[in-house]
């Protein structure tokens, strides 16, 4: 139950890893200070602010915004830190409100990483203040509590810092104001309420994130029930209406060109706090007369993580729609030509002779013209999507990036779980060179099946059984490494079942780095031990949830997400183990236990239809490119290409080493 605090009231904190959420009607600045027992801040190295957002156990936003999320890890706080103050301030010289009395009362909530509110506080009664201490997290006898403060300062951050004993108060306040002024154009205002009519209007806004559903790349529809994209297609045009001959291409997300090699600009020059106007019929031009350049992160959402996810979703939907329009136009042209040729052949008087030949040539010419016009429209849209991909790919965070993205070289263990995870790339045969990231929401809603069965890849290459099994395990290791890398320390646990030891060589990076919960389980006894542990965990959590005692689990119970990787199924599995595996696939995801199968379905034919529900419950992936992912919107068969580490690269090992190095502090 959420504790609604008033000024001066405190509340115990039951969790060490927290998220502090701030919302206000106007862009504000979020700052945090680390102080001693007397509440004094020693130096500027104990202040997290937009210019230096990360400290040990603490991370604040990098810019002013109408909504903030601060990540706090109390277990990672230095022993000399006894108080954490959350500060809010109004940006100076930005043309906004000059006092808190002119804005809506800020609301602050302390939540767990699962979003459960632990305590909240509404800062009422502010007038001339321009900076305020909102909350205080303080340590008492090795336990942490939160106190609602609400102490305001008319002199802004400089006066507040001085009151906390910081010697360089004036200089630090000026540095924060400068950092905020540089990034103020990126501030995110609270989005207006969305309605069904607004969604259908397609006013250049990305749809809400989709979800992995029924074996499709992104799912049949977004949680809000809309299939809207961010590209400004006319109302009523979509996957269910692919016959529109000419649609507005993905050109609504554009801005003037930036100098080559310059920083990525996340700000749209026409971004507004209210709903944007309908997009123009064509892309605006740059000063040189060419099409304007797309912008990374220019989609609806609270954070850059959400905005980039929405933009990738929109790119997927754009490609699906423009391909559907092209295919529909080609089908129409062929149907029209067939009818015209049939009309010529049905009339005995014009069946032969020059008149018939001329009619046939005219029909074929009309067919070619219609197909060429459709192809030109398709190529124009694909070119704009390719330009958008060139801008978006370098801006993606590690969870969304390919393994060859330079962002991995600056990898740091995150403090919160991202919205989604990249499992590979998707493309269509009409535009094989254009790859769209395949993202699935986290936590995983279904297990993964990496098919190691004999098959020919979509690139025309055929692999023998040994190669496919090796590639399947390499793909599994890459997926596991990515899952470990994008979760905060201690919040994702991996078990491996390798009954025959056939994957030992491929599993070396995971084993040597020490990121597994235990060595890979070998033999029937190892299979029974791991499956028994995980099914018992599922039973215990389900009983606690159903009994309304989810907070009464045994002391020391591991609340992290669990993943079990099963290689070489069904070797080493008896009937009991198979039943447990099916149970984990069905019931595990709801309580944080996930399954990754590396298997060839043909190896399990002895079980007959008994295992059909198991295979259907898993999202099938392949170790080689394969066009097995179906799109229920418009009937496309998308080609999936796995996300693998480039040959010779050590990036996966370096990431795993960082994940392993961060663990001892949390054990």
């Amino acid at each position: 139950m959420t504790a609604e605090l008033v000024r001066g009231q405190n509340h115990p904190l039951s969790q060490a890893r927290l998220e502090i959420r701030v919302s206000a009607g106007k862009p504000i600045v979020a700052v945090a200070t680390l102080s001693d027992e007397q509440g004094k801040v020693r130096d500027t190295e104990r202040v997290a602010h937009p210019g230096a957002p990360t400290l040990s156990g603490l991370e604040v936003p990098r810019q002013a915004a109408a909504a903030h999320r601060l990540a706090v890890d109390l277990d990672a706080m230095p022993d000399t830190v006894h108080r954490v103050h959350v500060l809010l301030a109004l940006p100076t010289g930005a043309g906004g409100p000059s006092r808190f009395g002119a804005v809506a009362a800020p609301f602050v909530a302390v939540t767990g990483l699962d979003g459960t509110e632990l305590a909240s506080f509404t800062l009422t009664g502010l007038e001339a203040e321009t900076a305020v201490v909102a909350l205080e997290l303080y340590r008492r006898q090795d336990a942490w509590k939160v106190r609602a403060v609400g102490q305001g300062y008319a002199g802004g951050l400089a006066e507040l810092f001085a009151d906390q004993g910081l010697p360089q108060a004036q200089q630090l306040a000026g540095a924060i104001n400068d950092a905020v002024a540089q990034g103020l154009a990126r501030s995110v205002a609270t989005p207006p309420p969305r309605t069904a009519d607004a969604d259908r209007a397609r006013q250049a806004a990305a749809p809400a994130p989709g979800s992995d559903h029924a074996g499709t790349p992104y799912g049949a529809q977004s949680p809000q029930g809309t299939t809207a994209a961010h590209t400004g297609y006319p109302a009523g045009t979509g996957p269910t209406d692919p016959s529109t001959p000419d649609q507005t291409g993905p050109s609504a997300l554009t801005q003037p060109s930036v100098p080559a090699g310059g920083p990525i600009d996340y700000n749209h020059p026409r971004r507004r706090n209210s709903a944007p106007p309908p997009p123009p019929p064509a892309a605006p031009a740059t000063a040189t007369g060419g099409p304007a350049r797309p912008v990374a992160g220019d989609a609806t959402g609270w954070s850059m993580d959400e905005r980039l996810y929405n933009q990738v979703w929109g790119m997927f939907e754009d490609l699906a729609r423009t391909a559907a329009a092209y295919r529909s136009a080609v089908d129409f042209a062929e149907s029209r030509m067939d009818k015209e040729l049939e009309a010529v052949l049905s009339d005995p008087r014009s069946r032969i002779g020059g008149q018939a030949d001329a009619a046939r040539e005219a029909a074929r010419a009309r067919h070619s013209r219609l197909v060429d016009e459709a192809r030109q429209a398709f190529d124009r849209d694909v070119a704009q999507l390719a330009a958008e991909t060139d801008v978006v790919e370098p801006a993606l965070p590690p969870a969304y990036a390919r393994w060859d993205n330079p962002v991995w070289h600056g990898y740091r263990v995150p403090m919160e779980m991202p919205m989604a995870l990249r499992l590979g790339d998707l493309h269509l045969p009409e535009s094989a060179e254009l790859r769209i990231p395949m993202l699935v929401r986290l936590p995983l809603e279904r297990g993964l099946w990496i098919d190691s069965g004999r098959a020919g890849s979509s690139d025309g290459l055929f692999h023998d059984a040994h190669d496919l099994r090796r590639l399947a395990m390499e793909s599994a290791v890459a997926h596991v490494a990515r899952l470990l890398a994008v979760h905060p320390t201690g919040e994702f646990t991996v078990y491996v079942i390798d009954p025959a030891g056939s994957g030992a060589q491929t599993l070396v990076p995971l084993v040597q780095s020490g990121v597994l919960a235990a060595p890979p389980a070998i033999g029937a006894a190892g299979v029974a031990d791991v499956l028994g542990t995980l099914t018992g965990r599922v039973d215990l959590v389900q009983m606690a949830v159903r009994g309304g005692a989810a907070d009464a689990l045994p002391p020391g119970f591991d609340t992290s997400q669990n993943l079990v990787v099963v290689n070489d199924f069904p070797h080493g599995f008896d009937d009991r183990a198979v039943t447990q595996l099916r149970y984990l696939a069905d019931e595990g995801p709801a309580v944080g236990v996930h399954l990754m199968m590396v298997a060839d379905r043909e190896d399990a034919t002895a079980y007959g239809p008994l295992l059909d529900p198991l295979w259907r419950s898993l999202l099938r992936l392949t170790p080689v490119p394969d066009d097995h992912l179906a799109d229920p919107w418009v009937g496309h068969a998308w080609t999936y290409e796995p996300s693998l580490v480039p040959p010779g690269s050590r990036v996966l090992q370096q990431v795993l080493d960082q994940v392993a190095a961060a663990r001892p502090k949390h054990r």
Side-chain angles (χ1 to χ4, degrees):
M1 181 175 179
T2 304
E4 298 181 0
L5 307 180
V6 298
R7 276 186 175 85
Q9 185 178 0
N10 60 43
H11 184 73
L13 294 173
S14 58
Q15 303 180 33
R17 300 180 67 82
L18 305 168
E19 188 174 76
I20 299 177
R21 302 185 180 186
V22 181
S23 60
K26 298 290 183 180
I28 60 175
V29 183
V31 181
T33 59
L34 308 181
S35 56
D36 56 21
E37 290 180 290
Q38 288 73 39
K40 300 300 180 183
V41 182
R42 294 181 179 179
D43 51 45
T44 57
E45 299 299 322
R46 295 294 184 97
V47 182
H49 57 85
T54 304
L55 298 178
S56 177
L58 180 64
E59 185 171 0
V60 303
R62 299 174 180 269
Q63 61 190 33
H68 289 295
R69 294 184 182 182
L70 291 72
V72 179
D73 186 351
L74 298 175
D75 286 344
M77 291 292 171
D79 294 338
T80 56
V81 173
H82 291 265
R83 302 186 186 185
V84 180
H85 290 103
V86 177
L87 320 177
L88 307 178
L90 294 173
T92 61
S98 59
R99 58 188 181 89
F100 272 108
V103 301
F107 175 79
V108 185
V110 180
T111 75
L113 294 185
D114 60 355
T116 303
E117 281 194 10
L118 307 178
S120 63
F121 175 42
T122 302
L123 285 76
T124 58
L126 299 177
E127 290 296 339
E129 296 87 347
T130 59
V132 61
V133 180
L135 294 178
E136 178 186 57
L137 311 181
Y138 62 98
R139 195 198 311 249
R140 285 290 185 274
Q141 299 178 349
D142 296 329
W144 286 87
K145 296 184 177 182
V146 57
R147 176 185 290 121
V149 181
Q151 175 64 48
Y153 295 83
L157 287 174
E159 182 181 352
L160 191 159
F161 288 148
D163 191 44
Q164 292 190 347
L166 187 65
Q168 307 89 351
Q170 194 70 39
Q171 296 90 326
L172 179 59
I176 293 175
N177 290 331
D178 291 342
V180 171
Q182 293 176 5
L184 191 58
R186 303 177 184 176
S187 61
V188 182
T190 304
R194 296 184 61 181
T195 64
D197 291 338
D199 285 336
R200 287 193 295 268
R202 326 229 21 98
Q203 295 183 351
S211 62
D212 168 40
H213 177 72
T216 64
Y218 283 83
Q221 65 178 21
S222 64
Q224 284 81 355
T226 175
T227 56
H230 71 315
T231 58
Y233 285 101
T237 301
T240 58
D241 180 24
S243 60
T244 304
D246 192 345
Q247 301 180 8
T248 304
S251 58
L253 295 179
T254 54
Q255 74 164 15
S257 299
V258 297
I264 297 172
D265 185 359
Y266 294 98
N267 176 51
H268 195 292
R270 295 183 299 281
R271 171 71 66 194
R272 302 183 182 183
N273 293 337
S274 59
T286 63
T288 58
R293 186 172 180 178
V295 182
D298 193 69
T300 57
W302 289 96
S303 65
M304 185 56 65
D305 184 30
E306 293 168 316
R307 291 158 68 184
L308 286 169
Y309 176 83
N310 287 349
Q311 188 167 8
V312 171
W313 163 265
M315 291 162 58
F316 163 77
E317 195 178 43
D318 289 343
L319 183 56
R321 182 179 292 105
T322 192
Y326 170 69
R327 293 178 181 181
S328 177
V330 172
D331 289 344
F332 170 77
E334 292 179 350
S335 175
R336 178 174 174 174
M337 181 180 66
D338 290 343
K339 290 181 179 179
E340 292 176 346
L341 293 178
E342 183 180 354
V344 173
L345 295 175
S346 63
D347 188 353
R349 294 171 298 177
S350 59
R351 190 172 301 166
I352 57 175
Q355 184 179 357
D357 294 339
R360 294 189 187 95
E361 289 299 324
R364 295 190 181 99
R366 281 190 290 270
H367 170 269
S368 299
R369 177 172 55 80
L370 290 174
V371 171
D372 290 344
E373 290 176 355
R375 186 70 199 192
Q376 290 174 8
F378 176 76
D379 290 343
R380 182 184 66 244
D381 288 349
V382 168
Q384 184 64 25
L385 276 173
E388 188 172 4
T389 301
D390 292 341
V391 173
V392 170
E393 279 285 357
L396 294 178
Y400 302 170
R402 290 194 298 255
W403 283 108
D404 59 358
N405 192 312
V407 71
W408 286 106
H409 297 289
Y411 167 77
R412 296 177 61 185
V413 178
M415 297 188 66
E416 60 180 4
M417 182 180 69
M419 287 184 61
L421 182 83
R422 185 172 190 159
L423 293 181
D425 294 329
L426 301 170
H427 63 87
L428 292 173
E430 290 89 351
S431 56
E433 71 285 350
L434 178 61
R435 261 64 172 177
I436 304 296
M438 177 181 172
L439 305 181
V440 295
R441 293 298 297 270
L442 292 178
L444 295 172
E445 298 177 359
R446 15 180 346 204
L448 304 177
W449 166 32
I450 303 175
D451 191 354
S452 60
R454 182 182 297 272
S457 65
S458 62
D459 55 12
L461 299 177
F462 286 84
H463 304 267
D464 61 28
H466 177 74
D467 283 344
L468 276 175
R469 293 180 188 273
R470 176 182 56 80
L471 290 172
M473 276 304 296
E474 290 179 356
S475 179
V477 169
H479 291 316
V480 170
R482 186 182 290 267
L483 282 163
L484 286 165
V486 304
H487 281 82
T489 301
E491 294 195 8
F492 198 81
T493 305
V494 179
Y495 299 87
V496 174
I497 295 177
D498 187 20
S502 59
Q505 183 175 359
T506 310
L507 291 169
V508 166
L510 298 177
V511 175
Q512 288 187 348
S513 59
V515 295
L516 298 179
I522 300 176
V527 172
D529 182 54
V530 173
L531 293 182
T533 299
L534 293 177
T535 52
R537 172 192 172 87
V538 172
D539 289 339
L540 182 61
V541 176
Q542 283 186 338
M543 286 190 294
V545 172
R546 290 168 182 169
D551 56 348
L553 292 168
F557 184 82
D558 179 17
T559 58
S560 67
Q561 298 281 314
N562 282 207
L563 174 73
V564 56
V565 181
V566 178
N567 181 40
D568 210 14
F569 176 81
H571 183 85
F573 281 73
D574 55 18
D575 290 345
R576 175 180 173 81
V578 170
T579 301
Q580 290 176 319
L581 194 68
R582 288 188 55 188
Y583 177 69
L584 290 179
D586 293 338
E587 305 294 336
V591 293
V593 178
H594 310 285
L595 179 63
M596 180 183 293
M597 298 276 290
V598 184
D600 180 1
R601 187 171 182 174
E602 295 299 321
D603 292 341
T605 52
Y607 289 94
L610 176 67
L611 292 181
D612 287 349
L614 172 66
W615 304 118
R616 286 196 298 266
S617 69
L618 304 174
L619 173 61
R620 178 175 175 252
L621 305 175
T622 54
V624 294
D626 188 77
D627 58 351
H628 66 280
L629 290 176
D631 183 349
W633 286 343
V634 287
H636 295 332
W638 290 83
T639 297
Y640 165 78
E641 188 170 327
S643 178
L644 300 176
V645 180
S649 174
R650 287 187 49 81
V651 64
L652 184 141
Q653 189 63 57
Q654 292 170 358
V655 168
L656 290 176
D657 289 343
Q658 289 200 42
V659 171
R663 288 193 165 193
K665 296 185 295 185
H666 297 264
R667 287 177 179 170

